[in-house]
């Protein structure tokens, strides 16, 4: 296989994204098809337990493929602008696809949930919230969604990073990240989303010059952070 910006695989297929095209291979690296259904395609993910593939285009598209039939099932327009670089993920049961989108500007985000039955929109969240900026997400084994992002301050610039659980369509138990830790986690997850592609790493400058790249995850980092209530209680004890 050639070098790609984004790679992913399951036990039957391998996929490479080079921006202009999506390359489909079998497990033995035999090229099956080259797909050119949208520009700027850099990342792809398999629906759990299937050979259905979701490809994200930074130009504002989601492409859904059936690799057994080597055909495009659906092309979804997610935004009218570019800069669609943020995370997307299937739930563990494969019933829904969550996609972070920038609908009207590169500074405003929303979370759109799609049904994988027909890839219709179930709901959109945070679309009108000017303070919340989402970057990526992950699901635990119980199906809970964890969101990585940052909050803007009153002047509209970075205030603090956060990880929060999604509960009842809102951010629950928000845990703060200082800027350096937030940035490292954001960049590492971006690299992970590319399938740890060597080509992608060349463009993540914050990771290039490190002697060792520490493996991190959104959920493990969340669990290592103190809840706000516990943090406040600890500060009270220290003053006594």
């Amino acid at each position: 296989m050639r070098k790609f910006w984004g790679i992913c695989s399951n036990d039957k297929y391998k996929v490479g994204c080079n921006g202009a095209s999506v390359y489909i291979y079998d497990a033995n690296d035999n090229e099956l098809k080259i797909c050119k259904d949208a520009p700027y395609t850099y990342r792809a993910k398999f629906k759990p337990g299937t050979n259905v593939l979701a490809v994200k285009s930074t130009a504002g598209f989601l492409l859904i493929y059936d690799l057994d039939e080597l055909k495009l099932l659906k092309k979804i327009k997610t935004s009218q602008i570019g800069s669609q670089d943020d995370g997307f993920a299937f739930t563990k049961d494969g019933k829904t696809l969550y996609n972070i989108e920038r609908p009207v500007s590169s500074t405003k985000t929303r979370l759109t949930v799609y049904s994988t039955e027909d890839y219709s929109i179930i709901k959109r969240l945070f679309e009108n919230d000017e303070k919340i900026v989402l970057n990526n997400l992950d699901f635990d084994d119980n199906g809970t969604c964890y969101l990585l992002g940052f909050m803007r301050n009153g002047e509209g610039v970075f205030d603090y990073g956060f990880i929060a659980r999604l509960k009842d369509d809102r951010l629950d138990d928000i845990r703060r990240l200082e800027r350096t830790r937030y940035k490292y986690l954001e960049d590492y997850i971006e690299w992970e989303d590319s399938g740890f592609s060597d080509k992608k790493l060349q463009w993540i400058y914050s990771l290039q010059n490190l002697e060792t790249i520490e493996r991190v995850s959104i959920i493990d980092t969340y669990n290592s952070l103190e809840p706000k209530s516990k943090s406040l209680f600890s500060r009270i004890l220290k003053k006594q």
Side-chain angles (χ1 to χ4, degrees):
M1 291 174 61
R2 62 184 73 196
K3 290 187 178 294
F4 292 106
W5 290 106
I7 53 179
C8 69
S9 63
N10 63 10
D11 58 356
K12 189 172 180 180
Y13 298 103
K14 297 179 181 178
V15 177
C17 301
N18 74 351
S21 308
V22 179
Y23 288 74
I24 312 299
Y25 300 87
D26 66 17
N28 297 316
D29 295 337
N30 298 304
E31 185 179 292
L32 302 176
K33 189 171 184 177
I34 302 173
C35 305
K36 297 177 178 288
D37 298 295
Y40 310 119
T41 48
Y42 298 107
R43 287 175 296 158
K45 296 184 178 181
F46 281 98
K47 177 182 174 181
T50 76
N51 295 316
V52 172
L53 183 78
V55 179
K56 184 162 183 174
S57 159
T58 64
F61 295 97
L62 278 173
L63 306 171
I64 310 298
Y65 293 96
D66 183 334
L67 297 195
D68 289 334
E69 298 187 16
L70 294 176
K71 73 175 185 179
L72 178 68
L73 295 177
K74 192 150 189 177
K75 182 177 182 178
I76 306 165
K77 184 66 175 174
T78 61
S79 174
Q80 299 301 318
I81 67 167
S83 302
Q84 306 299 314
D85 298 316
D86 302 292
F88 69 113
F90 288 98
T91 50
K92 299 287 188 181
D93 60 12
K95 293 182 179 180
T96 49
L97 174 64
Y98 284 55
N99 187 41
I100 299 172
E101 302 165 356
R102 296 179 183 259
V104 295
S105 76
S106 62
T107 61
K108 188 175 181 180
T109 60
R110 70 185 177 201
L111 179 64
T112 302
V113 183
Y114 297 89
S115 166
T116 57
E117 184 173 338
D118 57 2
Y119 293 92
S120 59
I121 295 172
I122 298 173
K123 55 189 171 183
R124 282 178 168 150
L125 306 175
F126 312 113
E127 188 165 18
N128 299 314
D129 196 311
E130 301 288 344
K131 187 177 181 181
I132 298 170
V133 180
L134 303 174
N135 299 129
N136 223 308
L137 70 162
D138 198 5
F139 294 91
D140 66 15
D141 291 337
N142 296 318
T144 301
C145 178
Y146 292 76
L147 291 160
L148 170 68
F150 70 88
M151 294 290 186
R152 292 192 177 99
N153 60 21
E155 298 177 351
V157 297
F158 183 98
D159 188 5
Y160 60 90
F162 72 83
I163 305 172
R165 293 179 300 185
L166 183 64
K167 182 178 180 181
D168 299 327
D169 295 342
R170 62 180 179 84
L171 300 182
D172 181 62
D173 193 8
I174 298 173
R175 302 190 182 184
R176 294 192 180 203
L177 286 165
E178 53 86 19
R179 184 187 291 265
T180 301
R181 193 175 185 187
Y182 158 77
K183 182 59 180 172
Y184 180 88
L185 181 59
E186 179 194 19
D187 289 346
Y188 182 88
I189 299 302
E190 181 181 353
W191 185 38
E192 182 180 51
D193 265 2
S194 75
F196 299 109
S197 159
D198 291 338
K199 189 172 183 179
K200 179 65 175 180
L201 182 60
Q202 294 173 7
W203 288 86
I204 305 180
Y205 302 111
S206 63
L207 301 181
Q208 282 182 23
N209 298 322
L210 299 176
E211 291 185 9
T212 59
I213 299 176
E214 179 188 357
R215 183 188 180 282
V216 291
S217 74
I218 293 173
I219 294 173
D220 287 346
T221 303
Y222 175 86
N223 289 332
S224 73
L225 299 170
E226 287 188 335
K228 286 195 295 185
S229 58
K230 181 179 178 181
S231 178
L232 176 61
F233 183 66
S234 298
R235 290 198 298 272
I236 293 173
L237 288 178
K238 288 179 181 178
K239 290 181 180 179
Q240 293 178 346

